[in-house]
Amino acid sequence: MEISQPTSILSQSSSTINTTSIHASMEHLQTTIRDMEAFDAAHADVIQMLLATPSPHAMKRYYNQLASEGIGPWLKVQYIGQTMGKGVFAAKDFDEGEVVLREPKLVGIQNAHSKEDSLVCSFCFCYVGSLELQLRWKLFARGHLRPIRGTNLQGDSQGTDNQCLEQHARVESDGDERICDPPSSVSTSCLGTEICNYKCRSDESEEQSAKRRALSFESFSWISDDALRLPFGDVFPLPHIVECRGGCHEDLFCSEACAEAAWEAYHCLLCTGSKSLCPNKSLLSEFKQFADETNDIFHLAAQVIANVICKCRKLESVATEVKSEEDAKARNTRMLLEAWEPFAMGHKRLWWESIALPEDVDPAEEDVFRNQMKELAANSLGLLKKVLFMEEYAALFSLEVYGYIIGMFELNNLEIVVASPVEDYFIYIDELPHDAKCEAKKITKPALEALGEDYASYCQGTGFFAIQSCMNHSCEPNAKAFKRDEDRDGQAVLLAIRKIEEGEEVTISYIDEHLPLEERQLMLADYGFACQCSKCLQDREASLN
Ligand SMILES: C[S@@+](CC[C@H](N)C(=O)[O-])C[C@H]1O[C@@H](n2cnc3c(N)ncnc32)[C@H](O)[C@@H]1O
């Protein structure tokens, strides 16, 4: 399974921006850009420090520290020049196929549509629960199963929350037909499943719907039986689900270690559960809903801000007492800059200035579009400020910093891809010896038919990675992001695609490098630069002669 780099955040952002809800939300929200700009002016000194290019000394220290922690130990991040900025260089020879970098995300999210399909650890993105649970979740998302009261998806009867069930899953009686909503934001604590006979989904034709109806109650009765296990299911064991310690039931984890790491890093401030440390938890759902309805990337920006605040608090807890208010202010700024360091290193531009114009926007309307994007960011920030604002770290909540954080994702993010055990399972069954295969298929066939090609859908998300994000583009790359069979989590994995010599720059391709020069140039213009790689320089020279 290949992962591309960087995620075309352009297409991802524009495809997830829902313009209807943007307008509705904008009318509803009172936040004005003018208010935010006045706020920014009052904190201009600290904002400038946050957005300043880090010194070569700070850069060297930061990337050396990562190497000493085992992240990219055989790579060096170095400044190249004004046009290229920094780049990543090999500190040893790499053979073709060798792993050049394996790196955990600094921040990352699973895409909203992928959540409906794959239950993964919110921190490391590995699949959780059991194969049966994953299959049940997929069938549920497609309307083949519906939630029942009294059990959760793991088949336990504890932890049921009927209110939650009613809130998330509208189940109506319509004559003989039972209709259920898909699980757009379903909490796993409140769901068991039983057969959902019919539902005409918005994304399917009458014919497809009729075909699905033909899959009788009996076809699926086996999978609604929580005690039933899939044949050969134990070949694909998954870690047991660890619930969020804050009690939100929205984020799931594969281990106590992941639950703890997420809590410490950002989740304690973004958790909607009863033990959340969020200063204004009641408004958190409003912020999350706005991000769901407009642009997923705001969830990621909230993670950055929560992460910086969490680090500041840790630094505070070991800081020495100060005597004056002025000393306290200076100390807070020092802590803020220290906590912000990983994000200070990222290449950035303002989001509303750098986002490529979507194809459906008339170029004559470009200014209107960019203003809309700025208002959208301002509205998202307005909600986040109501949830998390802390005077000590006020500059972190400036519109300018927020715009640069989202712009950083736009320019650097890598798509996160994790292969699904459900796909592996069906392939495994298909490759069994004849008799065993026939026996197993008696059980698996209806589910496979119901899922169609979706049986192979996998976990998708987006993340920002400290070292991988420093890799420049080349139309003749020597490395690529690639998930091997054993890479079963959300880490970025970069492989050498030819021999890379010590001292050589490690480059990847952000686009299809086999396209002709003009198309490459057009695509890279969407990433905001004119390619300076040797292939482009040669092709350009050749086109002039
Ligand atoms: C993902 S970042 C790569 C790291 C970046 N050079 C830095 O300083 O952090 C992408 C940015 O690097 C620069 N860049 C990457 N590849 C380039 C290339 N082939 N030619 C010119 N600029 C490039 C562009 O400014 C681009 O927006």
Side-chain angles (χ1 to χ4, degrees):
M1 195 83 52
E2 195 173 344
I3 49 181
S4 55
Q5 144 62 32
T7 306
S8 175
I9 288 291
L10 161 68
S11 59
Q12 188 186 35
S13 302
S14 47
S15 65
T16 53
I17 290 176
N18 175 337
T19 31
T20 320
S21 56
I22 289 170
H23 292 305
S25 309
M26 282 181 180
E27 279 163 27
H28 160 69
L29 292 164
Q30 298 300 312
T31 318
T32 67
I33 289 182
R34 221 175 311 136
D35 286 348
M36 293 211 163
E37 286 176 343
F39 175 91
D40 285 19
H43 298 93
D45 51 344
V46 184
I47 294 172
Q48 214 178 355
M49 288 189 245
L50 287 172
L51 296 177
T53 308
S55 68
H57 172 70
M59 253 176 57
K60 195 170 172 191
R61 196 186 28 154
Y62 175 71
Y63 292 108
N64 281 349
Q65 173 66 27
L66 289 183
S68 73
E69 289 166 13
I71 304 173
W74 296 108
L75 297 174
K76 269 200 173 350
V77 177
Q78 278 168 10
Y79 182 71
I80 301 172
Q82 194 143 20
T83 313
M84 297 295 278
K86 50 192 181 315
V88 178
F89 293 82
K92 72 166 188 102
D93 292 348
F94 288 98
D95 289 329
E96 184 179 338
E98 195 177 340
V99 175
V100 172
L101 172 68
R102 193 171 149 78
E103 176 182 28
K105 68 185 174 29
L106 281 176
V107 284
I109 48 162
Q110 185 183 10
N111 294 342
H113 70 88
S114 169
K115 281 188 184 172
E116 292 183 4
D117 190 80
S118 300
L119 288 167
V120 301
C121 172
S122 294
F123 192 69
C124 76
F125 293 85
C126 75
Y127 278 78
V128 292
S130 64
L131 193 63
E132 289 80 2
L133 172 66
Q134 294 292 343
L135 185 54
R136 202 176 288 150
W137 187 250
K138 271 188 195 292
L139 288 165
F140 174 62
R142 287 159 185 81
H144 292 296
L145 298 180
R146 74 177 181 82
I148 51 170
R149 289 162 194 266
T151 57
N152 62 30
L153 267 179
Q154 295 193 87
D156 306 328
S157 56
Q158 309 103 337
T160 302
D161 178 345
N162 286 340
Q163 222 185 348
C164 171
L165 173 67
E166 269 153 24
Q167 188 185 335
H168 291 303
R170 182 174 55 89
V171 182
E172 294 172 356
S173 264
D174 179 11
D176 274 337
E177 287 191 336
R178 298 171 70 87
I179 303 171
C180 53
D181 276 351
S184 54
S185 58
V186 174
S187 156
T188 52
S189 74
C190 65
L191 295 176
T193 50
E194 65 181 21
I195 313 306
C196 180
N197 278 351
Y198 318 133
K199 178 172 189 298
C200 188
R201 288 161 29 188
S202 55
D203 62 340
E204 68 184 1
S205 65
E206 276 298 317
E207 194 188 339
Q208 285 169 318
S209 177
K211 195 173 164 201
R212 208 152 51 78
R213 284 176 202 198
L215 294 161
S216 67
F217 186 95
E218 282 77 11
S219 302
F220 287 116
S221 56
W222 65 271
I223 201 157
S224 68
D225 177 352
D226 296 318
L228 207 133
R229 294 285 160 255
L230 287 165
F232 301 101
D234 52 3
V235 177
F236 300 87
L238 294 178
H240 193 74
I241 289 176
V242 174
E243 293 264 2
C244 161
R245 61 162 69 175
C248 68
H249 304 304
E250 284 171 16
D251 286 41
L252 309 171
F253 301 96
C254 66
S255 62
E256 291 292 347
C258 274
E260 166 91 15
W263 185 259
E264 294 291 320
Y266 58 87
H267 189 58
C268 61
L269 292 176
L270 298 177
C271 173
T272 52
S274 58
K275 294 190 190 128
S276 170
L277 304 179
C278 175
N280 199 346
K281 198 175 65 184
S282 61
L283 291 175
L284 190 51
S285 304
E286 209 182 319
F287 168 79
K288 290 187 176 189
Q289 192 184 341
F290 183 82
D292 283 345
E293 288 173 1
T294 57
N295 196 336
D296 259 7
I297 217 79
F298 296 136
H299 289 295
L300 210 53
Q303 253 187 42
V304 170
I305 291 179
N307 178 260
V308 174
I309 294 174
C310 286
K311 274 196 212 146
C312 283
R313 286 182 164 177
K314 274 194 200 112
L315 294 169
E316 253 173 56
S317 67
V318 292
T320 47
E321 285 278 311
V322 282
K323 292 199 180 80
S324 68
E325 209 176 292
E326 210 158 297
D327 287 349
K329 214 176 145 198
R331 190 196 62 179
N332 287 343
T333 304
R334 264 199 316 277
M335 289 190 298
L336 181 60
L337 292 174
E338 186 177 337
W340 170 253
E341 189 175 48
F343 307 108
M345 298 292 161
H347 173 63
K348 297 181 199 68
R349 284 183 61 198
L350 272 174
W351 181 57
W352 44 87
E353 286 179 8
S354 56
I355 185 170
L357 207 60
E359 273 172 15
D360 57 350
V361 174
D362 179 350
E365 297 288 308
E366 180 166 349
D367 286 351
V368 177
F369 169 76
R370 297 208 179 280
N371 249 329
Q372 276 186 348
M373 293 304 102
K374 189 172 178 181
E375 281 180 42
L376 182 67
N379 284 331
S380 160
L381 176 62
L383 287 171
L384 190 63
K385 265 171 113 167
K386 286 187 199 162
V387 175
L388 282 186
F389 184 74
M390 286 171 206
E391 187 59 49
E392 311 91 285
Y393 311 119
L396 195 56
F397 293 88
S398 82
L399 181 58
E400 196 177 358
V401 170
Y402 201 66
Y404 273 104
I405 293 174
I406 309 168
M408 175 178 77
F409 299 145
E410 183 85 24
L411 296 172
N412 296 284
N413 270 21
L414 182 73
E415 188 182 0
I416 292 176
V417 167
V418 187
S420 161
V422 174
E423 178 187 23
D424 294 343
Y425 174 72
F426 283 119
I427 293 172
Y428 178 88
I429 295 294
D430 203 50
E431 289 172 353
L432 283 171
H434 181 264
D435 288 355
K437 178 158 90 177
C438 290
E439 198 53 34
K441 277 199 163 175
K442 282 183 197 158
I443 292 192
T444 59
K445 199 170 166 231
L448 190 57
E449 282 179 357
L451 289 173
E453 291 194 348
D454 289 350
Y455 85 91
S457 57
Y458 46 87
C459 167
Q460 286 174 293
T462 179
F464 175 67
F465 297 82
I467 296 181
Q468 173 279 327
S469 67
C470 298
M471 289 185 177
N472 286 317
H473 163 87
S474 167
C475 298
E476 285 175 318
N478 53 20
K480 73 170 176 179
F482 190 85
K483 284 293 179 91
R484 301 160 304 163
D485 277 351
E486 61 265 47
D487 298 319
R488 292 285 161 167
D489 60 18
Q491 295 204 45
V493 183
L494 279 296
L495 300 184
I497 51 175
R498 61 170 168 77
K499 188 169 168 50
I500 303 175
E501 309 227 327
E502 182 179 343
E504 205 181 325
E505 184 177 1
V506 178
T507 55
I508 49 184
S509 179
Y510 301 175
I511 55 161
D512 177 356
E513 69 273 19
H514 305 293
L515 293 169
L517 175 69
E518 258 181 38
E519 285 180 51
R520 299 201 308 270
Q521 282 179 327
L522 270 178
M523 293 183 85
L524 290 171
D526 277 352
Y527 289 101
F529 66 93
C531 186
Q532 302 297 317
C533 79
S534 48
K535 182 172 168 186
C536 281
L537 295 179
Q538 274 168 21
D539 286 0
R540 258 181 241 142
E541 202 165 304
S543 71
L544 293 176
N545 297 329

